[in-house]
Amino acid sequence: MQELQDKIKALNKVSGKLEPSQDQRQGLITEAHSFADSFLAKVASMPTYSGASVDRDMSIKAEAIPLSQLLDLFKTEVTEKGIQPASAGHLGYIPGGGLYASALADYLVGVTNEYAGVHFASPGAVAIEHAVLDWLKAVFSFPTSAVGNLTSGGSIANLIALTAARDKYGIKNELIPKSVIYLSEQVHHCIQKALRIIGLEDVIIREIPLDEEFRLQPQVIAEAIAADRAAGLNPFMVIASAGTTDTGVVDPLKALGELCQAEGLWYHIDAAYGGFFILLEQTKALFDGIALADSLVVDPHKGLFIPYGVGAVLVKDKAAVMHSNHYTANYMQDTISDAHPLNPADVSPELSKHFRGLRVWLPLQLYGLEVFKACLEEKLLLTHYMRQKLTDLGFEIGPEPDLSVSYFWYPHPTDPNGFNQRLMDALMADGDVFLSSTRLNGRFVIRIALLSFRTKLETVDRAVRMIERCLRNVEFGNVE
Ligand SMILES: *Cc1c(COP(=O)(O)O)cnc(C)c1O
């Protein structure tokens, strides 16, 4: 017995390092804090893209390394390479945000290690997750009886929604190859991924021809449904987007919703990028009919500027979501109670679930909604401002954007695609601001996506200066 106790005490001398003393904590937080401060002091002006790759040793060593060395590694290898996602100049793909208030929330969540999977374990964390979901239901006019979940992002949120649709309509076995989903070629590719993951790889996916501005056409879907029914197939779902990734357009949500109701189909809307623009007077009409959706996805780590790692899904049919996600294990028997609110773990594949509600709840409460609305409106106006500036430089621009994604190209007389590709290469090599490109109906175009809360008037001026500089270089052949 004595020998055993001595061994345990000897081990504690080593393992006790995992619990730093107050002085040690003070030292660690001071170092981390000064790192964060110097990062934030330059983030608005730092280059947004560097093509450099990791060249220092990141491997895990058996021995301990001081925090200062690790922070130095983090600085050079993580924050100075690739796209700078926290930078004001991130105007590519769909930029995320990185609110400081959410970083504090994550710190508190880490320290307390509260866990938001089941009500029994942390009624407070679950209440905060439900407060965020209830707010989302109110914003999108979903009934309070709808259920929801905070996920790692839009991809998993879409996966949960599509699984519920599958289970509601019993799409399995021999029904799979006869079942039909209608969507746009502009749908985010995480939809196709999710369908494969949930065993629906062999359903029939009808990519519906779009109008000139890349929107779904309800009449075309109605005709396709009729033809499929006549052929003995099983139409069961329409997927619309409220803000496509490539062109930022919102599908005609109301007409599609009415069609789904009339036809008895599941109506899913992916509003991961665009959803929060419903908060603005000038864009809210675009979202008319969003409440007709059976399931809806939004991404707080896009439109609410939260750091990466939080998406959200709302589903009206609770039983459909629970079918695949609710399961009880013997060892969980103490946690089950009908008296409590729904457990987040019953609406998600996750069990030990990160308490990500706090990173959304805290900034919303701390700043109030008007601040978020002003920031979204600023992004809309900056988009118009940038399009105007690009027109002045001689660029062609895409149609009037629904939201804050748009695109442009240089009307080169003989080789437009080649020229714009070279311009894009030059923009990447410059890297002051980060833009991305895509192809629309065979045309190479450069996208602008304004959604970072740090993007301001001076950022757009900087972007325009960079584009002009690169345009001159490519025009005069100075770029290899
Ligand atoms: C970003 C995005 C997704 C994917 O979401 P993640 O958060 O990256 O997983 C899905 N759909 C749309 C429209 C998006 O913009």
Side-chain angles (χ1 to χ4, degrees):
M1 200 60 164
Q2 186 58 46
E3 193 187 335
L4 187 56
Q5 283 188 0
D6 290 347
K7 272 191 183 161
I8 292 170
K9 285 180 185 160
L11 285 172
N12 179 50
K13 285 223 164 62
V14 183
S15 70
K17 288 195 177 140
L18 292 177
E19 187 74 276
S21 67
Q22 195 186 354
D23 275 357
Q24 288 168 327
R25 289 200 303 273
Q26 190 60 51
L28 292 169
I29 195 86
T30 304
E31 271 190 87
H33 184 250
S34 78
F35 175 88
D37 267 359
S38 65
F39 176 81
L40 290 174
K42 59 180 195 225
V43 69
S45 58
M46 68 208 241
T48 315
Y49 179 72
S50 153
S53 47
V54 171
D55 51 18
R56 287 172 64 188
D57 181 9
M58 310 281 273
S59 66
I60 293 178
K61 308 287 184 293
E63 68 275 13
I65 303 173
L67 182 61
S68 56
Q69 279 182 39
L70 299 172
L71 286 176
D72 183 59
L73 203 56
F74 183 75
K75 177 173 178 291
T76 64
E77 303 310 298
V78 181
T79 71
E80 292 172 5
K81 290 178 179 172
I83 305 169
Q84 316 303 315
S87 159
H90 186 358
L91 314 182
Y93 307 118
I94 303 286
L99 293 182
Y100 189 71
S102 296
L104 287 182
D106 282 350
Y107 173 74
L108 297 174
V109 167
V111 169
T112 59
N113 200 24
E114 291 288 345
Y115 139 80
V118 295
H119 178 269
F120 168 81
S122 182
V126 171
I128 283 182
E129 170 146 342
H130 282 142
V132 172
L133 293 169
D134 287 346
W135 176 71
L136 291 174
K137 287 181 212 169
V139 166
F140 294 100
S141 304
F142 262 53
T144 51
S145 59
V147 295
N149 201 260
L150 296 180
T151 62
S152 57
S155 301
I156 300 301
N158 275 301
L159 181 106
I160 291 173
L162 300 183
T163 306
R166 177 197 70 185
D167 293 347
K168 167 87 175 181
Y169 284 74
I171 309 298
K172 54 185 175 177
N173 304 331
E174 67 283 352
L175 207 50
I176 292 176
K178 291 203 298 192
S179 296
V180 194
I181 298 175
Y182 305 85
L183 46 71
S184 137
E185 59 159 24
Q186 291 286 325
V187 91
H188 192 277
H189 69 277
C190 74
I191 298 282
Q192 277 92 350
K193 269 170 67 169
L195 291 172
R196 288 188 181 180
I197 293 168
I198 66 172
L200 296 188
E201 179 170 3
D202 295 330
V203 296
I204 301 164
I205 296 180
R206 298 252 182 268
E207 279 193 3
I208 298 300
L210 307 174
D211 68 14
E212 321 77 271
E213 296 189 355
F214 305 100
R215 283 187 190 83
L216 278 173
Q217 309 179 83
Q219 188 50 37
V220 179
I221 300 185
E223 286 158 18
I225 293 170
D228 285 337
R229 287 229 159 95
L233 299 175
N234 177 44
F236 83 102
M237 173 157 59
V238 172
I239 301 177
S241 309
T244 55
T245 314
D246 252 10
T247 59
V249 304
V250 180
D251 286 323
L253 301 181
K254 187 149 183 266
L256 291 168
E258 286 163 355
L259 174 67
C260 288
Q261 278 189 336
E263 295 285 348
L265 305 191
W266 183 281
Y267 184 30
H268 175 64
I269 300 178
D270 179 1
Y273 151 59
F276 290 106
F277 284 99
I278 199 176
L279 294 168
L280 302 186
E281 281 309 315
Q282 59 269 63
T283 40
K284 100 173 175 218
L286 288 166
F287 298 88
D288 268 1
I290 201 162
L292 295 172
D294 293 288
S295 52
L296 172 69
V297 164
V298 287
D299 247 354
H301 69 198
K302 290 176 180 163
L304 289 181
F305 326 115
I306 311 295
Y308 288 122
V310 60
V313 59
L314 297 177
V315 183
K316 283 186 184 156
D317 191 316
K318 175 175 164 182
V321 192
M322 303 263 294
H323 181 84
S324 283
N325 293 299
H326 174 66
Y327 215 87
T328 52
N330 290 340
Y331 79 90
M332 298 277 292
Q333 62 185 1
D334 300 334
T335 70
I336 301 161
S337 161
D338 285 341
H340 289 317
L342 195 69
N343 289 320
D346 291 331
V347 193
S348 157
E350 291 181 86
L351 175 58
S352 301
K353 192 166 177 291
H354 179 57
F355 176 19
R356 46 181 81 96
L358 196 68
R359 64 213 311 280
V360 184
W361 184 88
L362 189 80
L364 282 173
Q365 302 277 53
L366 191 62
Y367 300 124
L369 199 55
E370 285 308 312
V371 178
F372 289 86
K373 286 161 73 171
C375 197
L376 285 168
E377 186 173 351
E378 182 183 33
K379 301 299 134 355
L380 283 185
L381 300 189
L382 285 172
T383 309
H384 290 291
Y385 176 76
M386 183 155 176
R387 283 165 51 89
Q388 190 62 56
K389 289 269 183 181
L390 290 168
T391 311
D392 294 347
L393 282 181
F395 285 97
E396 297 279 337
I397 51 175
E400 198 60 27
D402 281 347
L403 304 171
S404 67
V405 169
S406 187
Y407 53 93
F408 62 97
W409 67 96
Y410 197 74
H412 191 275
T414 54
D415 180 22
N417 282 358
F419 185 86
N420 284 286
Q421 171 76 69
R422 287 196 296 284
L423 176 59
M424 188 64 214
D425 293 344
L427 295 171
M428 296 278 264
D430 186 296
D432 191 25
V433 164
F434 180 76
L435 300 153
S436 60
S437 68
T438 189
R439 270 178 197 270
L440 296 171
N441 291 337
R443 172 185 281 144
F444 186 102
V445 300
I446 301 172
R447 281 174 73 257
I448 23 178
L450 280 97
L451 199 60
S452 164
F453 74 102
R454 290 199 173 99
T455 302
K456 300 286 167 185
L457 202 55
E458 43 291 6
T459 324
V460 171
D461 286 336
R462 208 174 118 197
V464 170
R465 278 197 304 276
M466 175 186 85
I467 293 165
E468 186 172 16
R469 179 163 77 231
C470 293
L471 177 66
R472 299 295 162 242
N473 282 343
V474 176
E475 262 182 337
F476 296 110
N478 295 346
V479 165
E480 65 278 36

